[in-house]
Amino acid sequence: VATCFHVMKRPANFKKGVLVAADEAARVHPVVEILAANAKADACILRIAATDLKPLPLQTDVTPGDRAFCFSDPLDQRGYFSDGIVNRFLARYYLGT
């Protein structure tokens, strides 16, 4: 599962709990392991306890101007969907160079 790094930060008032992921059928799967995390790129890859999920295809042939979609919770507004375009790439930023 891919998510944002900031999602993994434990809130200061956090008392007890576990990290889980939910699928589109509302099934809850425990997070087993953090495979990779990068605070600067705000990215995190997790392993979850599920064997019957189908991965979403990723498009690798992307150029500036292509359509892009985002489903997120900005400023505590749950379930916000937006669309736009790919503006630019900053590979040097994400590669840490």
Side-chain angles (χ1 to χ4, degrees), residues 62-86:
V62 178
T63 59
D66 287 348
R67 287 189 79 187
F69 305 94
C70 181
F71 184 73
S72 63
D73 298 331
L75 303 172
D76 295 323
Q77 183 175 346
R78 302 244 346 138
Y80 182 79
F81 177 81
S82 62
D83 69 308
I85 64 167
V86 175

Side-chain angles (χ1 to χ4, degrees), residues 7-77:
V7 171
M8 303 302 297
K9 291 184 181 177
R10 177 177 274 180
N13 61 350
F14 189 81
K15 292 186 173 46
K16 186 176 182 181
V18 295
L19 188 60
V20 297
D23 63 23
E24 63 184 7
R27 295 180 299 168
V28 176
H29 308 281
V31 172
V32 176
E33 179 180 11
I34 298 172
L35 297 173
N38 185 310
K40 192 172 183 180
D42 196 23
C44 190
I45 307 296
L46 310 171
R47 181 185 316 276
I48 63 172
T51 58
D52 60 342
L53 301 178
K54 181 179 174 186
L56 292 173
L58 297 177
Q59 174 64 289
T60 58
D61 185 23
V62 178
T63 59
D66 287 348
R67 287 189 79 187
F69 305 94
C70 181
F71 184 73
S72 63
D73 298 331
L75 303 172
D76 295 323
Q77 183 175 346

